[in-house]
Each structure stands twice: as structure tokens, then as C-alpha cells.
Amino acid sequence: MSFRGFSRPNASSGMGVADHSKNAFMELQRKKVHRYVIFKVDEKKREILVEKTGGPAESYDDFTAALPENDCRYAVYDYDFVTSENCQKSKIFFIAWSPSTARIRSKMLYATSKDRFRRELEGIHYEIQATDPTEMDLDVIRERAN
């Protein structure tokens, strides 16, 4: 008797992180080359890859428009703001985008891979789990950063 899929490795243990993904995050964090980086799980390669990067001049609206409407993604966003003391600051947000319209398999794959991937990215200030755009609205980002 065999169980379908029983011998395949578990998604939580088998998803690697591409070097390019770590490098893109470091460029965002240290060099401010990107405003945001969107990551995609590649099931065939069994790793997390960079899907899209946004230049420093791109807006939060550009970032949210780049996320797929019906599929999951991970993203990091570098939020710049001025404090009440008039100091320029920056906070990096990790966003786990899992829209309610995404396939169950995709939601499961992203959910089981998230913690390992998140640990690879040192220097994240805040984490947001969003299932619809209102949960990661710019007002939510502003409120968390202040």
C-alpha cells in the first residue's frame, strides 16, 4: 500500500534560499538600492527567488501593485519617514502576502517556508501577515513604524 506524496520531502524542510535573494535584501538594507524586493517560491528549484525589485524612487502604491492578486509572495519594504523630532528614519518590513483568493497549496507552501526564510533576513524591524490589501495599507505601515 502506498500513500501518494508520502516519500516527497516536507516543504518546511526542503525550501532553500537563493543567494541572489539574500543579496537583494542586503542591497535594500545596506545600500538602499531597492525600495522593495518581492520573493517567489519556485517549487521546481525548491528555493525562494527574487521575482521583482523596486527602485528607490518607487512608491508604496507601486509596491502593492506589484504583488499578485491571487497568489502568495514574501516581500520586504524599506519605509522611510520623519519622526516628530524631525529625524529621518527607515524601517524594514517583512510582509507575508497570502490573499484569501490564493490556492490552498500555495498558502500551505508559503506558510511552511516562511519562518526559515524570515530567519535568513537579518535586520527586519516589523513583520506583517496580510490576507487582503487593507491589512498592509500604508496607514498600517506608518502606525507600526512610529
Side-chain angles (χ1 to χ4, degrees), residues 61-80:
D61 287 338
D62 296 329
F63 162 64
T64 57
L67 290 170
E69 197 175 313
N70 298 314
D71 203 2
C72 303
R73 293 293 184 272
Y74 302 124
V76 287
Y77 184 82
D78 188 6
Y79 176 65
D80 291 331

Side-chain angles (χ1 to χ4, degrees), residues 75-135:
V76 287
Y77 184 82
D78 188 6
Y79 176 65
D80 291 331
F81 62 102
V82 178
T83 66
S84 55
E85 294 85 32
N86 210 26
C87 293
Q88 183 70 37
K89 292 223 173 184
S90 172
K91 297 287 182 187
I92 298 174
F93 284 80
F94 177 85
I95 298 169
W97 172 242
S98 183
S100 54
T101 54
R103 293 180 357 255
I104 298 289
R105 177 174 171 75
S106 181
K107 289 180 189 181
M108 294 288 289
L109 185 62
Y110 277 80
T112 57
S113 304
K114 183 183 78 130
D115 289 339
R116 178 176 176 201
F117 179 54
R118 170 70 176 75
R119 281 194 303 271
E120 295 280 341
L121 308 178
E122 292 183 31
I124 301 258
H125 298 106
Y126 301 103
E127 183 174 323
I128 293 176
Q129 174 72 44
T131 58
D132 75 68
T134 61
E135 295 176 344

Side-chain angles (χ1 to χ4, degrees), residues 17-71:
V17 180
D19 287 340
H20 179 67
S21 295
K22 293 180 206 172
N23 293 340
F25 174 73
M26 299 256 258
E27 288 172 347
L28 174 140
Q29 181 186 35
R30 297 196 179 128
K31 298 178 184 171
K32 304 290 184 189
V33 173
H34 312 296
R35 171 68 54 206
Y36 62 86
V37 181
I38 297 173
F39 302 95
K40 178 180 184 171
V41 171
D42 185 323
E43 286 189 75
K44 287 182 179 65
K45 291 184 178 180
R46 301 201 53 76
E47 64 182 359
I48 298 168
L49 306 169
V50 171
E51 181 177 56
K52 182 177 185 354
T53 57
E58 290 198 44
S59 70
Y60 193 73
D61 287 338
D62 296 329
F63 162 64
T64 57
L67 290 170
E69 197 175 313
N70 298 314
D71 203 2

